[in-house]
Amino acid sequence: LSGHYESLDYECDESEIAHMEEKRLGYQHTRRIVVLKWLIMLLIGICTGLIAVFVDFTVKNLTKFKFSYVQNKLETCLSEHCLFKPYLAWIGINISMVLIAGLLILWEPVARGSGIPQVKCYLNGVAIPHVLRLKALIAKVLGVIFAVSGGLAVGKEGPMIHAGAIVAGGISQGKSTSLKFDLHILKYFRTDKHKRDFVSAGAAAGVAAAFGAPVGGVLFALEEGASFFNQQLTWFIFFASMTSTFTLNVVMSAIDGHFGDLSSPGLINFGLFKDTPYMWFELPLFIVVGCIGGIFGALFNQLNLRLTKFRHHYINKRWLLVIEVILVAATTVVVAFLLIIGTMYECRPIKTQLELNSPTIQLYCPDGQYNVMGTIVFSTPEQAVRNLFHSEIGTYYPWSLLVFCIIYFCLTCWTYGVIVSSGLFIPSLLIGASWGRLVGIVLHTLFPSNVKYFDPGKYALFGAASQLGGTMRMTISLAVILIEATGDIGLGLPIMIVLTVAKLTGDYFNEGFFDMHIALQSVPFLPWQSDIFAYQLSALNIMSAPVIQLKTVEKVENIYHILRTESHHGFPVVDHHTDETSNQRAGTFQGIILRHQLITMLRKRNFISLNDSLRDYLTMDDFRESYPRHPPIESIHLTNEERELYCDLRPYMHLAYTVSHSATLPRIFSMFRGLGLRHLVVVNDKNEVVGMITRKDLARFR
Amino acid sequence: LSGHYESLDYECDESEIAHMEEKRLGYQHTRRIVVLKWLIMLLIGICTGLIAVFVDFTVKNLTKFKFSYVQNKLETCLSEHCLFKPYLAWIGINISMVLIAGLLILWEPVARGSGIPQVKCYLNGVAIPHVLRLKALIAKVLGVIFAVSGGLAVGKEGPMIHAGAIVAGGISQGKSTSLKFDLHILKYFRTDKHKRDFVSAGAAAGVAAAFGAPVGGVLFALEEGASFFNQQLTWFIFFASMTSTFTLNVVMSAIDGHFGDLSSPGLINFGLFKDTPYMWFELPLFIVVGCIGGIFGALFNQLNLRLTKFRHHYINKRWLLVIEVILVAATTVVVAFLLIIGTMYECRPIKTQLELNSPTIQLYCPDGQYNVMGTIVFSTPEQAVRNLFHSEIGTYYPWSLLVFCIIYFCLTCWTYGVIVSSGLFIPSLLIGASWGRLVGIVLHTLFPSNVKYFDPGKYALFGAASQLGGTMRMTISLAVILIEATGDIGLGLPIMIVLTVAKLTGDYFNEGFFDMHIALQSVPFLPWQSDIFAYQLSALNIMSAPVIQLKTVEKVENIYHILRTESHHGFPVVDHHTDETSNQRAGTFQGIILRHQLITMLRKRNFISLNDSLRDYLTMDDFRESYPRHPPIESIHLTNEERELYCDLRPYMHLAYTVSHSATLPRIFSMFRGLGLRHLVVVNDKNEVVGMITRKDLARFR
Ligand SMILES: Nc1ncnc2c1ncn2[C@@H]1O[C@H](COP(=O)(O)OP(=O)(O)OP(=O)(O)O)[C@@H](O)[C@H]1O
Ligand SMILES: Nc1ncnc2c1ncn2[C@@H]1O[C@H](COP(=O)(O)OP(=O)(O)OP(=O)(O)O)[C@@H](O)[C@H]1O
Ligand SMILES: [Mg+2]
Ligand SMILES: [Mg+2]
């Protein structure tokens, strides 16, 4: 496990000064905090919704501009035999856009990928450095715009989740060091615990905006993120998600020219399935489709894992990364071009395409007809999915669909991991929809009498669900997201069945996509349960010992020394009734003091002389001041006189949980997850400190 | 708080013998358990689905039979002026049906009401006696059938949740004392922890079957029931819910004569809203509707609370209860009759009614027309709701709608609490739909140009959601249930907004309906959070002291004596290294031993003589044998020699959590909720037992 990451602390502060502050502020304050929380949730929802609109609007227009330009050139060149011209223009535009996206990531590396693993880690209790910075937001949003517009096989939905999380983190803290701005009223939210609440709401709002799925957002936050469940928090999250969808709908309706009509759906809309019945004898088919998706998903994960490892080893210089991203962009265009050329004569009469709102491309087709593959290639992935769902029976040639599916699979697999910010939802849906439609076509050919049931579009939907489930291994949240995104609940039950089967099948082979990436980065991620052999391990086997500990009244010199030499973030405080001379350090456990608290005490010179008692208490505000980036110990310099003084740790120490040395691993696990711990002190029968357990000690046993 | 209820124990057993068993069974066993769990979930889903079909089918046919009989009589008597005849027949049928329903409850009182409070308590950790018995299932199912068919203002959905929970409890235990049946393979599930998992799945399956809402079921279990959240359990619950809906759909499709076409929706179906747009300027209206619902809901709760208290005081004899239920039945008929007579001449041409699938009643209307109020009264509440949602503009006369709404409000309020098993969902929806439609009519009259938006049917839906939210105070789960039940997601967002507003408004006045009833029964229910002043209390203020404790090797005599004189269910085990003579009982804490374990040890004569060490360990099976109803201590008789022997408690004691005496209430709360505790031992600095905290000590502070 990497020592690069520090944990977050989701416990309430239980110290004398915390209780004093609570008492001083009283009941009124608690109510004000709740009202403030609702307001902040509202703001989070609105901002996330607006960002989603911005992304969508920009992507749509950039893409439209690009395609109309290329398409124009293409059609004029068809006759003039200058096909290389549009081709070069296309490559040029794409590469430059993707290059911008890549450079943004070089500027802020944390914005790479979809951001979902990072958000998951944060909610699990691990702070990935820089993950909630403003810089990350900018890189993420602009990066995804250029990546998608640059024609890469990426979606813009995943990044919205990360963007929402950053927005939430930022708004709730009301403070920006780079912008030199501090909203004092929000200082009470400057704890890991409160911040997590907001971040989970932000992530949910991101989902809600991306898919127009407020309930899906809540479920996503619960299923993927939460190590906690709390009714009130769920309502807060729900409120933020609702606001986000609502904002998005209002603004989108204005942009689309029917301002105020909110029944128009969210950011993506896969279109209603009207009158699509299903029969009980399709149940085995659902299961088969689920299995296929599970296998393909697992394959995808495995390939991507290999690729990521390869990249990690060999493509580790900045310029190599840039070259790779350019290569991906170029390959994508070449392949698209070849696809179009290869299927040049596959034409269909223009009929339903107009309804489906996507461009039709004539190419070598006779008038009144359009090129099928060209239409897929020249539309955004969302439109392509929509086409696969709703095009008439017989629109697609099975062979070209198969080729498209394989190519897109490989492209997506390659693309996720290069230095762009990229989502995986839509590409997975597109892969799934194409093989799903293929399944539908096969069924339809085998049983032509049951056309009504073996609708290729319906099976495209199931395929999409299956592929998504096989890759990401979520069930309920994905089901709800898909239902909300198609705006259609009639097929809800089969979607759920397909997703569950896909998840189970996939789990047989490997982990979910995001979990894999988390494991790859050696993040000390705490899973839901410990290993099943864990009952054979007790606290004694897990803990670190000896423990660096402090006395309730400790010499400044010692504290300073410990902080300089040890990198730990928490130190048990023990009673010092043992003989000073006998050198025996064990004392009964009193509480835990955090590194940043000690540093603040040193910085504020909160010292007493021996036999004196503390009069000038530091307040919670003193400790909050430097949240979340506390100054390092190196910034503090003490005189020799000061070093001889003492610190009284008792008012500041946190009355932490302890666990007996005979406790087993599963029990320690459930304490960490159930109570959101950062440090757990192991004590013996006499309440003497014998060891220390942190998340890193546990994460080894997943 | 009532001493009537005992707590459940949601901790894993952490004792020497438990670990020995785990080691012995090994890895294979764990996998088998998981597979078994999936299978049981499947069975739970199927059985719950079948029960739902049975209830629905029976109710539908009994009602149809009754109404066609009365209606026939009515129509022949209209001309012959013998109106009293159908009237008497109607009263007679209803009263006898309701009487059966009432007698069933006298036979098994726990089946009274909707059962949701009981299930909530169970999931919260309080065992309501008899709540999971087979008898309760029978009384519940038959009771609700007769209550609904008897024309009372009750729904059949709430009881399905309780029924599902009982089914789950029964199936998972694989054992019935009354049926003398024991499936040994399921013995590992005979712990509170496993049983709770199944019961929550059963409750979710109940919701899923009742409303055709699998996701709604999961959310219901989470939002209302769970004090826990665990990804894997959520998947189990989801699976059970899906199976339940699927089973229901298959069987219902067969009954309705289009076998296998599963796209037909669940048990209730409120019908799709086609092309019902909404505009941003309706937002204030949603909020207003939400407020109205919140106020009406709070009023409903308050009135019902008063009534329940009144009933508690004055109607406490069995015959009084029976008379009351007969009175309710009679009143319901009388009122319905008066409503029909009063609105005798309100006729509408038969047109849409046929599409809506509900009977039309002519009465005094000219041919080709039907009596509007008669149609509401003569259909099941579900059909009535459907009519209110989808009837054409202008179907209902505002005044009669208002009268109907008020009357139904009062009737429902009176009915919930008499001795029948009854649900509150549909009546609430009906009340809400009627005033909602009224709001729609008013809007429509005020702004006739915006007919498209101010559709009374749409506002009926919002009213229904609002009333339900105002009464029950759930948000996400109700939103999803309504969306799944209407099969329509287009109006999802406004429904969510309305529900949230209704909940917030209602919360301003009083608690949710079910919480109110739980509080009324003085159940030691643990809320999500402790009181906000709680930080001023520490473990010392809450705990019971002195604690009755046992030594690690304790004399049988003492154990027997303690069990006979004390009613506690758990006793701390302490090291007895303190002087026997000094009479000082405090020793360092070792573990907790439960009452039933002690009884088993006595019963099995697991004794040793002093200075001897234990060789014949009891196994987990010995302790499991009598789960969940353990024999009382009075059933055990010991000889004098036996009394002089000793019990070694060490292999059996549970290595429980402890908490320091300085811990504050919020922290103790989070331990109880986060870890599912039953007993929490308070220790001092030296790990000596100083106090004991159980759920009852905490529940005082809600
Ligand atoms: N006060 C301490 N004394 C001795 N060992 C400790 C102490 N605190 C932590 N450890 C051990 O040091 C190792 C690494 O510590 P780690 O960096 O996880 O602690 P931390 O910085 O306090 O927590 P985190 O990094 O998760 O925020 C772990 O194995 C942990 O058990
Ligand atoms: N071993 C004990 N010694 C002293 N007091 C106890 C002991 N166990 C419980 N109590 C106290 O007795 C009171 C009532 O106990 P209660 O009936 O709740 O205990 P229980 O039966 O063990 O738990 P439950 O009834 O919740 O299953 C509580 O205030 C509790 O703190
Ligand atoms: Mg560290
Ligand atoms: Mg008790």
Side-chain angles (χ1 to χ4, degrees):
Chain A
L1 293 174
S2 163
H4 190 57
Y5 309 105
E6 299 299 336
S7 313
L8 298 168
D9 204 341
Y10 290 157
E11 269 189 282
C12 289
D13 191 0
E14 289 256 343
S15 62
E16 220 180 298
I17 52 164
H19 293 159
M20 272 161 49
E21 189 186 71
E22 269 175 348
K23 203 174 249 159
R24 186 170 57 76
L25 293 171
Y27 179 69
Q28 278 306 319
H29 172 70
T30 319
R31 296 197 57 177
R32 211 159 38 222
I33 286 287
V34 173
V35 173
L36 253 179
K37 251 188 160 170
W38 283 110
L39 281 180
I40 296 176
M41 292 295 170
L42 186 74
L43 265 182
I44 291 175
I46 293 178
C47 293
T48 310
L50 290 179
I51 290 180
V53 174
F54 172 70
V55 171
D56 189 61
F57 182 77
T58 325
V59 167
K60 245 187 212 152
N61 284 298
L62 280 178
T63 316
K64 204 196 265 166
F65 161 77
K66 184 183 79 177
F67 280 146
S68 62
Y69 180 78
V70 174
Q71 200 182 327
N72 266 343
K73 280 226 157 149
L74 196 67
E75 304 210 331
T76 51
C77 277
L78 272 184
S79 40
E80 300 167 22
H81 294 285
C82 56
L83 265 182
F84 66 95
K85 263 196 201 162
Y87 181 59
L88 284 185
W90 193 4
I91 289 197
I93 296 175
N94 272 11
I95 286 186
S96 40
M97 280 183 172
V98 170
L99 196 63
I100 298 176
L103 292 178
L104 280 164
I105 303 303
L106 284 186
W107 176 61
E108 176 57 84
V110 86
R112 188 170 173 178
S114 88
I116 294 179
Q118 283 88 333
V119 173
K120 266 187 85 163
C121 286
Y122 189 90
L123 296 181
N124 189 270
V126 186
I128 309 284
H130 301 225
V131 68
L132 293 186
R133 295 269 178 93
L134 188 61
K135 240 175 111 179
L137 180 63
I138 295 170
K140 193 105 225 170
V141 169
L142 294 184
V144 79
I145 289 175
F146 284 109
V148 175
S149 313
L152 293 187
V154 300
K156 61 188 191 301
E157 282 68 23
M160 274 312 302
I161 297 167
H162 189 178
I166 302 176
V167 166
I171 292 182
S172 68
Q173 300 300 295
K175 177 171 146 180
S176 162
T177 17
S178 32
L179 300 185
K180 299 236 184 324
F181 163 81
D182 191 342
L183 214 67
H184 282 286
I185 188 151
L186 299 184
K187 69 181 177 191
Y188 300 106
F189 294 136
R190 292 179 197 151
T191 66
D192 287 348
K193 188 177 179 339
H194 276 118
K195 204 167 167 185
R196 172 196 61 181
D197 290 358
F198 290 114
V199 168
S200 44
V207 177
F211 299 98
V215 178
V218 176
L219 286 174
F220 180 85
L222 285 179
E223 193 173 5
E224 276 300 86
S227 48
F228 54 89
F229 179 82
N230 176 314
Q231 214 180 22
Q232 208 192 0
L233 176 59
T234 313
W235 287 328
F236 279 126
I237 296 180
F238 186 49
F239 183 65
S241 304
M242 253 167 36
T243 317
S244 157
T245 312
F246 193 81
T247 310
L248 181 107
N249 281 4
V250 171
V251 183
M252 290 294 281
S253 72
I255 290 178
D256 294 353
H258 44 85
F259 173 64
D261 180 0
L262 307 185
S263 35
S264 77
L267 203 54
I268 47 173
N269 170 25
F270 298 128
L272 265 169
F273 282 83
K274 282 188 212 101
D275 300 321
T276 321
Y278 59 101
M279 291 289 281
W280 64 273
F281 57 73
E282 288 180 83
L283 184 61
L285 291 174
F286 301 155
I287 293 174
V288 169
V289 169
C291 284
I292 300 179
I295 293 169
F296 282 6
L299 186 69
F300 183 90
N301 292 0
Q302 203 60 43
L303 286 179
N304 190 271
L305 183 72
R306 289 269 169 101
L307 246 161
T308 309
K309 278 185 182 158
F310 175 84
R311 189 175 287 131
H312 204 73
H313 279 287
Y314 299 102
I315 315 186
N316 39 21
K317 300 235 170 49
R318 282 165 152 251
W319 62 271
L320 276 172
L321 285 168
V322 172
I323 287 186
E324 191 195 9
V325 83
I326 292 178
L327 213 66
V328 171
T331 313
T332 312
V333 181
V334 172
V335 166
F337 206 77
L338 291 180
L339 261 180
I340 295 185
I341 301 297
T343 62
M344 209 151 52
Y345 299 107
E346 295 187 355
C347 301
R348 294 286 185 205
I350 298 177
K351 215 163 43 186
T352 50
Q353 284 315 109
L354 290 177
E355 287 169 25
L356 292 171
N357 250 330
S358 58
T360 52
I361 300 182
Q362 193 173 351
L363 284 182
Y364 291 101
C365 296
D367 285 345
Q369 300 207 342
Y370 69 99
N371 180 292
V372 180
M373 197 46 74
T375 303
I376 292 194
V377 171
F378 273 97
S379 40
T380 59
E382 284 90 345
Q383 282 172 327
V385 172
R386 206 183 146 100
N387 283 344
L388 286 167
F389 284 177
H390 296 293
S391 294
E392 288 186 329
I393 296 173
T395 303
Y396 297 96
Y397 293 86
W399 284 111
S400 34
L401 214 50
L402 184 66
V403 171
F404 174 79
C405 174
I406 294 172
I407 288 177
Y408 207 80
F409 184 96
C410 299
L411 267 182
T412 307
C413 201
W414 185 17
T415 310
Y416 190 94
V418 303
I419 47 161
V420 288
S421 82
S422 56
L424 197 60
F425 280 94
I426 298 295
S428 297
L429 287 177
L430 188 49
I431 296 168
S434 48
W435 65 252
R437 188 154 184 122
L438 211 56
V439 171
I441 292 176
V442 170
L443 285 173
H444 176 232
T445 322
L446 292 179
F447 308 101
S449 59
N450 280 322
V451 180
K452 203 173 139 207
Y453 301 114
F454 298 141
D455 173 23
K458 189 175 79 174
Y459 276 85
L461 174 65
F462 296 154
S466 173
Q467 179 73 31
L468 200 60
T471 312
M472 313 220 169
R473 314 287 164 75
M474 297 177 249
T475 51
I476 316 181
S477 49
L478 285 187
V480 175
I481 287 175
L482 281 176
I483 291 171
E484 294 190 305
T486 51
D488 189 40
I489 209 160
L491 296 173
L493 201 58
I495 288 181
M496 293 173 205
I497 296 172
V498 163
L499 274 170
T500 309
V501 175
K503 184 204 148 48
L504 290 177
T505 315
D507 277 347
Y508 181 79
F509 297 103
N510 52 26
E511 270 187 305
F513 188 79
F514 297 126
D515 296 306
M516 222 165 215
H517 274 266
I518 288 173
L520 209 62
Q521 289 172 34
S522 355
V523 178
F525 191 85
L526 274 196
W528 287 95
Q529 271 149 336
S530 57
D531 197 55
I532 23 182
F533 280 118
Y535 55 85
Q536 295 173 346
L537 293 169
S538 76
L540 281 175
N541 307 109
I542 310 165
M543 69 191 193
S544 307
V547 180
I548 320 289
Q549 41 191 312
L550 297 169
K551 295 185 216 131
T552 42
V553 178
E554 182 67 86
K555 209 167 169 186
V556 172
E557 169 84 69
N558 289 348
I559 296 180
Y560 189 71
H561 179 73
I562 287 179
L563 289 181
R564 298 242 23 172
T565 52
E566 306 288 341
S567 67
H568 302 311
H569 283 73
F571 303 94
V573 179
V574 299
D575 224 1
H576 57 307
H577 58 66
T578 41
D579 232 338
E580 275 287 345
T581 50
S582 75
N583 223 346
Q584 192 198 329
R585 298 270 301 181
T588 59
F589 174 74
Q590 300 293 316
I592 270 192
I593 192 107
L594 298 177
R595 184 186 192 79
H596 81 90
Q597 292 181 306
L598 291 173
I599 291 179
T600 307
M601 286 167 71
L602 295 186
R603 209 154 47 85
K604 304 256 171 188
R605 308 290 194 267
N606 191 240
F607 305 146
I608 53 171
S609 55
L610 192 60
N611 304 327
D612 200 9
S613 72
L614 186 63
R615 253 165 280 115
D616 293 325
Y617 282 30
L618 294 180
T619 62
M620 290 296 282
D621 282 344
D622 292 316
F623 291 110
R624 250 184 230 125
E625 220 169 57
S626 54
Y627 182 84
R629 269 161 267 157
H630 304 292
I633 180 68
E634 285 75 20
S635 65
I636 292 171
H637 302 283
L638 298 172
T639 64
N640 281 345
E641 293 87 70
E642 282 170 343
R643 284 172 198 241
E644 291 303 313
L645 293 172
Y646 286 81
C647 276
D648 188 348
L649 306 179
R650 281 171 295 190
Y652 312 125
M653 69 192 185
H654 170 59
L655 307 170
Y657 295 100
T658 58
V659 77
S660 144
H661 57 99
S662 56
T664 56
L665 185 54
R667 134 157 322 210
I668 294 170
F669 241 90
S670 65
M671 283 187 85
F672 262 83
R673 282 223 65 136
L675 305 170
L677 301 187
R678 180 174 186 182
H679 297 104
L680 183 60
V681 175
V682 183
V683 295
N684 66 10
D685 258 10
K686 301 204 192 70
N687 205 27
E688 290 161 354
V689 176
V690 295
M692 185 79 168
I693 296 178
T694 68
R695 142 191 303 269
K696 275 169 208 148
D697 301 313
L698 284 183
R700 271 185 229 123
F701 297 98
R702 77 207 221 98
Chain B
L1 294 175
S2 164
H4 191 54
Y5 309 105
E6 298 300 337
S7 313
L8 299 168
D9 205 340
Y10 289 158
E11 268 187 282
C12 289
D13 191 357
E14 291 256 342
S15 61
E16 220 179 300
I17 52 164
H19 292 159
M20 274 161 50
E21 189 186 71
E22 270 176 346
K23 204 172 249 159
R24 185 171 56 78
L25 294 171
Y27 179 69
Q28 279 304 317
H29 173 71
T30 319
R31 296 196 58 174
R32 211 157 41 223
I33 287 287
V34 172
V35 173
L36 254 179
K37 252 189 159 172
W38 283 109
L39 281 180
I40 295 177
M41 292 296 169
L42 185 75
L43 265 183
I44 291 174
I46 293 177
C47 294
T48 310
L50 290 179
I51 290 179
V53 174
F54 173 70
V55 171
D56 188 61
F57 182 77
T58 327
V59 167
K60 244 186 213 152
N61 283 298
L62 280 179
T63 314
K64 205 196 262 170
F65 162 76
K66 185 184 80 177
F67 279 144
S68 63
Y69 181 78
V70 174
Q71 198 182 330
N72 266 343
K73 278 228 159 148
L74 196 65
E75 301 208 334
T76 51
C77 274
L78 271 184
S79 41
E80 299 168 24
H81 294 285
C82 57
L83 265 182
F84 66 96
K85 263 196 202 164
Y87 180 61
L88 284 185
W90 192 6
I91 287 196
I93 297 175
N94 272 10
I95 284 185
S96 39
M97 281 182 172
V98 170
L99 197 60
I100 299 175
L103 293 177
L104 279 165
I105 303 302
L106 284 185
W107 177 60
E108 176 57 84
V110 86
R112 188 168 172 180
S114 86
I116 294 179
Q118 284 89 333
V119 174
K120 266 189 84 162
C121 286
Y122 189 90
L123 295 181
N124 190 270
V126 186
I128 310 283
H130 301 224
V131 69
L132 294 186
R133 295 271 180 89
L134 188 60
K135 241 177 108 180
L137 180 63
I138 296 170
K140 193 105 225 171
V141 169
L142 294 184
V144 79
I145 289 175
F146 284 110
V148 175
S149 314
L152 292 187
V154 299
K156 61 188 189 304
E157 281 71 20
M160 274 312 302
I161 296 167
H162 191 179
I166 303 176
V167 166
I171 292 181
S172 68
Q173 300 301 292
K175 176 173 149 181
S176 162
T177 16
S178 32
L179 301 184
K180 298 239 183 323
F181 164 81
D182 192 343
L183 213 66
H184 282 287
I185 186 148
L186 298 185
K187 70 181 174 191
Y188 300 106
F189 295 136
R190 291 179 198 150
T191 66
D192 287 347
K193 187 175 178 344
H194 277 119
K195 203 167 167 184
R196 171 197 60 179
D197 289 358
F198 291 115
V199 169
S200 44
V207 177
F211 299 99
V215 178
V218 176
L219 285 174
F220 180 86
L222 285 179
E223 193 174 5
E224 275 301 85
S227 47
F228 53 91
F229 179 81
N230 177 313
Q231 214 181 21
Q232 207 190 4
L233 176 59
T234 312
W235 287 328
F236 279 126
I237 297 181
F238 186 50
F239 183 65
S241 303
M242 253 166 36
T243 317
S244 158
T245 311
F246 193 81
T247 311
L248 180 107
N249 280 5
V250 171
V251 183
M252 289 295 280
S253 72
I255 291 178
D256 294 351
H258 44 86
F259 172 66
D261 180 1
L262 307 185
S263 35
S264 77
L267 203 55
I268 48 172
N269 169 23
F270 297 129
L272 265 171
F273 282 83
K274 280 188 213 103
D275 300 321
T276 320
Y278 58 99
M279 292 287 282
W280 65 273
F281 57 73
E282 287 180 83
L283 183 61
L285 292 174
F286 301 155
I287 293 175
V288 169
V289 170
C291 283
I292 300 179
I295 293 169
F296 281 7
L299 185 70
F300 183 91
N301 292 1
Q302 203 60 41
L303 286 178
N304 189 272
L305 183 74
R306 289 268 169 100
L307 246 160
T308 311
K309 279 185 180 158
F310 174 86
R311 190 176 285 131
H312 205 74
H313 279 285
Y314 300 104
I315 314 185
N316 39 21
K317 301 236 169 48
R318 281 164 152 253
W319 62 270
L320 276 173
L321 283 168
V322 173
I323 288 187
E324 191 196 8
V325 83
I326 293 178
L327 212 64
V328 171
T331 313
T332 311
V333 182
V334 172
V335 167
F337 207 78
L338 290 180
L339 261 181
I340 296 185
I341 302 298
T343 61
M344 209 152 51
Y345 299 108
E346 295 185 357
C347 302
R348 295 285 185 205
I350 297 177
K351 215 164 40 183
T352 52
Q353 283 316 110
L354 290 177
E355 289 170 24
L356 292 171
N357 252 331
S358 60
T360 53
I361 300 178
Q362 192 174 353
L363 283 183
Y364 289 102
C365 294
D367 285 345
Q369 300 209 340
Y370 70 98
N371 179 292
V372 182
M373 196 46 73
T375 304
I376 292 194
V377 170
F378 273 97
S379 39
T380 59
E382 283 91 344
Q383 282 172 328
V385 172
R386 205 182 147 98
N387 283 344
L388 285 167
F389 284 176
H390 296 292
S391 295
E392 289 187 328
I393 296 173
T395 304
Y396 297 98
Y397 292 85
W399 283 113
S400 33
L401 214 52
L402 184 66
V403 170
F404 174 78
C405 174
I406 293 171
I407 289 177
Y408 207 80
F409 184 96
C410 299
L411 267 181
T412 308
C413 200
W414 185 17
T415 310
Y416 191 94
V418 302
I419 47 161
V420 287
S421 80
S422 56
L424 197 59
F425 280 94
I426 298 296
S428 296
L429 286 177
L430 189 49
I431 296 168
S434 48
W435 66 252
R437 191 160 179 115
L438 211 55
V439 171
I441 293 176
V442 170
L443 284 174
H444 176 233
T445 323
L446 291 180
F447 309 99
S449 58
N450 281 321
V451 179
K452 202 171 138 209
Y453 301 112
F454 298 140
D455 172 24
K458 189 175 78 175
Y459 275 87
L461 173 64
F462 296 153
S466 172
Q467 178 74 32
L468 199 60
T471 311
M472 313 216 169
R473 312 287 162 80
M474 296 176 249
T475 52
I476 315 183
S477 48
L478 286 187
V480 175
I481 288 175
L482 281 177
I483 290 171
E484 294 191 303
T486 50
D488 189 41
I489 208 161
L491 295 173
L493 200 58
I495 288 181
M496 294 173 205
I497 296 173
V498 163
L499 274 169
T500 309
V501 175
K503 184 205 147 48
L504 289 177
T505 314
D507 278 347
Y508 181 80
F509 297 104
N510 52 26
E511 271 186 303
F513 188 80
F514 297 126
D515 296 305
M516 221 164 214
H517 275 265
I518 288 172
L520 209 62
Q521 288 172 34
S522 355
V523 177
F525 191 84
L526 274 197
W528 288 95
Q529 271 149 338
S530 59
D531 197 56
I532 22 182
F533 281 118
Y535 56 86
Q536 296 175 345
L537 293 168
S538 76
L540 282 174
N541 307 112
I542 311 164
M543 70 191 194
S544 307
V547 180
I548 320 290
Q549 42 191 311
L550 297 168
K551 293 186 218 130
T552 42
V553 178
E554 182 67 88
K555 206 166 171 188
V556 173
E557 168 84 69
N558 287 349
I559 295 179
Y560 189 72
H561 179 73
I562 286 179
L563 289 181
R564 298 240 26 169
T565 52
E566 305 289 340
S567 66
H568 303 310
H569 283 73
F571 303 94
V573 179
V574 298
D575 225 1
H576 57 307
H577 59 68
T578 42
D579 233 337
E580 275 287 348
T581 50
S582 76
N583 223 345
Q584 193 198 326
R585 297 272 300 181
T588 59
F589 174 75
Q590 300 292 318
I592 270 193
I593 192 108
L594 297 178
R595 184 188 193 81
H596 81 90
Q597 290 181 305
L598 292 172
I599 292 179
T600 306
M601 287 168 70
L602 295 186
R603 208 152 48 86
K604 304 255 170 188
R605 307 291 194 264
N606 190 241
F607 304 146
I608 54 173
S609 57
L610 192 59
N611 304 327
D612 198 10
S613 73
L614 185 64
R615 253 166 278 113
D616 295 324
Y617 282 28
L618 295 180
T619 62
M620 289 296 282
D621 282 344
D622 293 317
F623 291 111
R624 251 184 230 125
E625 219 169 56
S626 53
Y627 182 85
R629 267 160 267 156
H630 304 291
I633 181 68
E634 286 73 21
S635 65
I636 292 170
H637 302 283
L638 298 171
T639 65
N640 281 344
E641 292 88 71
E642 282 171 341
R643 283 171 199 244
E644 291 304 312
L645 291 172
Y646 286 80
C647 277
D648 188 349
L649 307 180
R650 281 171 297 193
Y652 311 126
M653 71 191 182
H654 169 59
L655 307 172
Y657 295 100
T658 58
V659 77
S660 145
H661 57 96
S662 56
T664 56
L665 184 53
R667 132 157 322 209
I668 295 169
F669 240 91
S670 65
M671 283 188 85
F672 263 83
R673 283 225 65 137
L675 306 169
L677 302 185
R678 179 173 186 182
H679 298 103
L680 183 61
V681 175
V682 182
V683 294
N684 64 10
D685 258 10
K686 302 202 192 69
N687 204 28
E688 291 162 353
V689 176
V690 295
M692 185 81 167
I693 297 179
T694 68
R695 141 192 304 272
K696 274 168 209 150
D697 302 314
L698 283 184
R700 271 184 230 124
F701 296 98
R702 79 206 218 97

